[in-house]
Amino acid sequence: MDEEYDVIVLGTGLKECILSGLLSVDGLKVLNMDRNDYYGGESTSLNLIQLWKRFKGNDKASRTSGLDQGVQCRYGP
């Protein structure tokens, strides 16, 4: 990643996304990063595979678990 940014925002929760949006509207070049493999922090929507990984880690799901059905789950505090 050889690009330069005016601002780097860590996290993709609601506050971080609003901050990133406001800064970019002001003309700044913003990089938004998150340690998770999904956006949204505590207010995210996860598909079943992401939800499984979040709570079961590396445990293998059974073939009949339905993880590949494209269902989204709302995850929030």
Side-chain angles (χ1 to χ4, degrees), residues 46-49 66-73:
L46 304 175
N47 65 35
L48 290 179
I49 294 170
L67 291 181
D68 60 351
Q69 300 299 312
V71 176
Q72 295 283 80
C73 298

Side-chain angles (χ1 to χ4, degrees), residues 9 12-25 32:
V9 177
T12 56
L14 180 60
K15 295 176 287 205
E16 293 86 2
C17 288
I18 290 172
L19 176 63
S20 296
L22 291 172
L23 293 171
S24 67
V25 167
N32 201 237

